[in-house]
Amino acid sequence: MKFVKKIDVWLIFALFSAVILFPQINQHALILGDDSLFHMNRFYDAMMQLKSGNLQYFISMYGFSQSARVVNALYSPYVAYFNGFIMIITGSWFKYQLISDWIVNFIGAGTMYYLLRTNKVYKAYAIWISLVYVITYTLTWSAGQQFVAWGAAILPLTIAAGVRMIREKNDPVHVLELTLGVTLLVQVHVLSTLLMLIILIVFFLWGLVITEQPKKLIQKTILSAVFTLVLTSNVWGGIIELYGSNHLLTPFKNIDPFHYGTVSLDFNNLQLSTFIAILLFLQCMLALTPSNNMSKLNKGITIFGSILFIASTQLLPWNQIFKKFEIISVIQFPKRFLPFAIALLLLGLGLSFTQILSKRWTRKPDYILILLGVFVLMSTAVVMKKLSDTAAIWQTDRVIASHSNVKQLLYGSQLRDTFAAGKDMGDALKIVYRPTSDYVPIPNRKKIPEHPYNEYDLAIFQKEKEFRKKVSRNSLSITWKSTHETIKKISVFKYKHTNLKLNGRKLTSKQYVLNDIGTVSVHSKRGYNELLVNYKPAQWFNILLVINWITWIVVSIIYMKWIFIKIKSKGTVK
């Protein structure tokens, strides 16, 4: 019977995760938001690699105009292949978007529920609060395809491991829990992991002060860190491989984070609706009012969450902070603190309501459940209205919801037709594109391009019609015809370990020229020419990758065994 009830919880999450997508389903609309085209290209590349069997971990052979640029190796490589696999199953951009939206929502609800229940939040409250987490801005993958949503779906697991360091004085660390929490976040979103590490350090130091087993805390944390390093070796190994042999162009620097990177406090947007703001404010009042006598854990995470929330808004002079402390500017958008703030404050809310329920003057959770239900319904209505408005753009001549640095060759119905089911999913990416230059190689460190997006557009997209590109035997083949001998600019990038073979002969560094953003120029003979491109990483990386795969297989087996034991023992949280 208890098992059936647990199934019911996951059924609720599954259905709710689908319901909030109804505006998009009803309008049969594809939402092309801020980062849609960037992620579409990298997932399309992963999908085509899986379909063709031409696997190339580093360079893009299908996406990004088949330019051999590096993206996925530095940006959640395994998750990119996972999304590529979903694309193979769904077969269309619309179906892929719905399924991936649903997955993010469902995972977010599940991890939040885990965080709440491991902290012994009353089950009914935990369900409702998990639904609240799904409809916060942190998980709006459907609205703009900002990948921080995937990180937000995972981070409650890591927070659960951090809170355990404070809550469990005798057993402050579960190695598997902490390892998987951090590992999955690293695999999904590295920048979110950097922020999460700050939070974990705070929890670790707090736990170190109050724990009765400081030696156990330190030892298990170190053990978890070692396991995490092995399980994430594909990520940091790829970073070392590329940054150790190249100077890569970093993502854009936000020079005005105060206006373009913080959470608006008008309470009328997807970032922070009025209803979510009220719930967060209510938690601060419940936890920090002395007469309520809430637990130290509740007060601590509420204060911490409030600090992170303030950091995500215009309440701090972020422009001045970025200028004075340049290292902080790596976060680009202070609103990245919001998912952590919301997760902590919602956990605090669950603890507060559970403590109120335990008081003698009330044993009935009805009033609190009604309150949570109303807030979920109202917040859901707000989110669905915003999604409906965004989805409606698809049927207009504009089609694209966000035109920030987007270029398109077609409009209206002609553009919509390129995204239709049954067509090659890569066709649309040739018609509408966003010339982002993240991670391209810069040959001269002293000569950073002033307008890299424009140079990328000229070097890649504007030259596409001059070449024919195809993939065979794990190499990208670029062919063209010349009426005479000349120096030909090729729309392909050259990294240190990229191999170039022109007309059957491997090129040395003296036989090609690189422009300011690392694209290649070669000596073209008269007639037919072919340039073969592939990437061969250092041997140590290949060994590291094999070790990583073996470790993941072993850990997966251990984890499945752990889950089986938990189910058999009817769980640890009752």
Side-chain angles (χ1 to χ4, degrees):
M1 188 66 182
K2 289 184 178 180
F3 178 73
V4 173
K5 290 182 179 179
K6 288 181 181 179
I7 291 294
D8 289 345
V9 170
W10 296 105
L11 182 60
I12 290 171
F13 294 159
L15 292 174
F16 186 79
S17 297
V19 166
I20 59 178
L21 300 176
F22 275 6
Q24 189 177 356
I25 297 172
N26 183 51
Q27 299 183 58
H28 200 80
L30 190 65
I31 296 178
L32 301 177
D34 294 334
D35 295 332
S36 299
L37 296 173
F38 177 77
H39 293 300
M40 280 178 164
N41 271 277
R42 69 192 198 92
F43 297 158
Y44 174 75
D45 185 77
M47 178 195 74
M48 290 303 297
Q49 288 190 37
L50 292 172
K51 285 182 69 174
S52 66
N54 289 306
L55 300 178
Q56 176 53 259
Y57 187 84
F58 283 92
I59 60 175
S60 301
M61 298 195 294
Y62 298 94
F64 298 102
S65 299
Q66 297 183 283
S67 59
R69 65 178 287 193
V70 172
V71 177
N72 284 339
L74 294 171
Y75 204 133
S76 60
Y78 289 168
V79 180
Y81 283 113
F82 173 70
N83 278 272
F85 178 71
I86 297 172
M87 287 172 61
I88 292 175
I89 295 174
T90 55
S92 75
W93 285 117
F94 177 67
K95 292 178 182 178
Y96 159 74
Q97 195 170 83
L98 289 179
I99 295 300
S100 64
D101 292 343
W102 181 86
I103 289 172
V104 171
N105 294 337
F106 183 73
I107 292 175
T111 57
M112 192 66 200
Y113 183 74
Y114 175 82
L115 171 62
L116 293 164
R117 293 293 282 152
T118 53
N119 283 279
K120 298 184 172 51
V121 171
Y122 180 66
K123 183 176 180 179
Y125 299 162
I127 294 173
W128 281 111
I129 294 173
S130 297
L131 299 182
V132 170
Y133 187 63
V134 172
I135 52 180
T136 58
Y137 172 72
T138 56
L139 263 70
T140 51
W141 171 243
S142 55
Q145 284 74 61
Q146 294 177 328
F147 212 65
V148 67
W150 285 81
I154 297 296
L155 70 87
L157 289 179
T158 317
I159 292 178
V163 174
R164 187 183 297 276
M165 295 178 182
I166 305 164
R167 188 187 69 247
E168 304 292 342
K169 296 182 180 180
N170 292 319
D171 189 18
V173 173
H174 282 187
V175 175
L176 187 60
E177 178 186 60
L178 180 57
T179 299
L180 286 178
V182 178
T183 295
L184 291 175
L185 199 56
V186 173
Q187 293 288 355
V188 170
H189 202 250
V190 172
L191 193 51
S192 292
T193 306
L194 295 177
L195 300 178
M196 188 70 241
L197 288 177
I198 297 173
I199 295 174
L200 283 178
I201 289 172
V202 172
F203 285 140
F204 176 81
L205 294 176
W206 184 358
L208 200 59
V209 171
I210 66 173
T211 185
E212 297 173 1
Q213 300 285 344
K215 186 177 180 180
K216 183 184 290 187
L217 172 60
I218 295 172
Q219 288 177 338
K220 286 193 171 184
T221 301
I222 293 175
L223 182 60
S224 176
V226 171
F227 287 152
T228 299
L229 282 173
V230 178
L231 288 168
T232 60
S233 56
N234 65 306
V235 177
W236 57 260
I239 292 173
I240 293 174
E241 154 69 17
L242 288 160
Y243 279 93
S245 57
N246 302 273
H247 181 69
L248 305 183
L249 189 64
T250 57
F252 87 101
K253 185 176 181 180
N254 191 353
I255 60 175
D256 188 13
F258 184 82
H259 294 101
Y260 302 101
T262 53
V263 177
S264 172
L265 293 177
D266 61 9
F267 307 118
N268 187 33
N269 52 73
L270 273 176
Q271 293 178 334
L272 188 68
S273 69
T274 302
F275 303 104
I276 298 299
I278 290 173
L279 272 184
L280 300 183
F281 179 76
L282 174 62
Q283 164 54 17
C284 290
M285 293 299 98
L286 288 173
L288 303 181
T289 300
S291 60
N292 288 335
N293 196 29
M294 293 295 175
S295 67
K296 290 182 180 179
L297 174 63
N298 192 352
K299 292 178 180 178
I301 62 175
T302 301
I303 293 172
F304 196 13
S306 298
I307 293 172
L308 294 173
F309 176 78
I310 292 171
S312 71
T313 69
Q314 294 180 343
L315 295 175
L316 294 182
W318 278 110
N319 286 3
Q320 289 75 14
I321 293 173
F322 271 31
K323 288 180 181 178
K324 190 170 184 179
F325 306 100
E326 190 170 349
I327 191 172
I328 297 179
S329 66
V330 71
I331 68 172
Q332 294 181 307
F333 309 107
K335 64 184 179 183
R336 294 189 191 277
F337 289 109
L338 185 62
F340 304 93
I342 288 179
L344 287 170
L345 290 173
L346 289 181
L347 170 59
L349 186 68
L351 293 173
S352 294
F353 284 163
T354 299
Q355 187 170 337
I356 290 172
L357 178 64
S358 67
K359 290 183 178 180
R360 293 182 178 180
W361 53 269
T362 176
R363 289 286 182 178
K364 295 182 179 181
D366 297 354
Y367 296 114
I368 294 176
L369 287 175
I370 292 172
L371 173 67
L372 284 172
V374 168
F375 272 88
V376 168
L377 291 174
M378 298 302 289
S379 297
T380 302
V382 171
V383 169
M384 292 178 73
K385 176 62 167 61
K386 293 290 184 181
L387 287 178
S388 179
D389 293 342
T390 305
I393 297 173
W394 173 254
Q395 297 298 337
T396 67
D397 190 58
R398 177 180 169 183
V399 180
I400 303 169
S402 174
H403 274 82
S404 177
N405 192 39
V406 170
K407 298 180 182 294
Q408 59 191 95
L409 305 180
L410 296 175
Y411 295 83
S413 60
Q414 289 182 308
L415 179 56
R416 283 192 293 273
D417 287 344
T418 63
F419 286 94
K423 293 191 175 183
D424 186 332
M425 295 175 76
D427 289 347
L429 304 181
K430 300 174 184 177
I431 303 301
V432 57
Y433 60 92
R434 191 180 186 193
T436 52
S437 53
D438 301 2
Y439 315 124
V440 300
I442 306 300
N444 189 346
R445 299 187 181 206
K446 296 180 180 179
K447 193 178 180 182
I448 305 298
E450 187 175 353
H451 302 291
Y453 281 23
N454 184 56
E455 290 196 35
Y456 185 96
D457 187 30
L458 293 174
I460 302 299
F461 291 105
Q462 300 303 324
K463 297 185 70 62
E464 276 302 282
K465 293 181 180 180
E466 300 178 22
F467 308 100
R468 182 181 178 185
K469 297 180 178 180
K470 64 179 182 179
V471 181
S472 62
R473 298 181 181 179
N474 294 324
S475 291
L476 175 63
S477 170
I478 305 167
T479 57
W480 68 95
K481 288 183 179 181
S482 291
T483 57
H484 58 279
E485 289 190 10
T486 184
I487 299 300
K488 185 72 173 178
K489 295 180 180 178
I490 314 297
S491 57
V492 69
F493 291 97
K494 169 69 171 72
Y495 295 81
K496 180 69 174 179
H497 293 155
T498 300
N499 295 316
L500 302 175
K501 185 181 288 187
L502 178 63
N503 298 322
R505 298 182 63 181
K506 186 174 182 180
L507 299 181
T508 66
S509 59
K510 295 181 180 180
Q511 294 173 308
Y512 59 83
V513 177
L514 302 178
N515 74 350
D516 291 347
I517 60 171
T519 58
V520 177
S521 293
V522 299
H523 185 273
S524 174
K525 69 179 184 179
R526 182 179 179 181
Y528 178 86
N529 292 266
E530 181 182 37
L531 181 68
L532 291 176
V533 183
N534 58 42
Y535 188 98
K536 187 176 181 180
Q539 187 60 31
W540 63 263
F541 178 81
N542 292 326
I543 296 172
L544 197 65
L545 196 59
V546 172
I547 294 173
N548 180 265
W549 294 340
I550 294 173
T551 307
W552 268 106
I553 293 172
V554 173
V555 170
S556 298
I557 293 172
I558 294 174
Y559 185 62
M560 293 303 294
K561 182 178 179 180
W562 180 73
I563 290 178
F564 177 77
I565 293 172
K566 290 295 180 183
I567 293 176
K568 192 174 181 180
S569 62
K570 299 180 180 179
T572 56
V573 181
K574 299 180 179 180

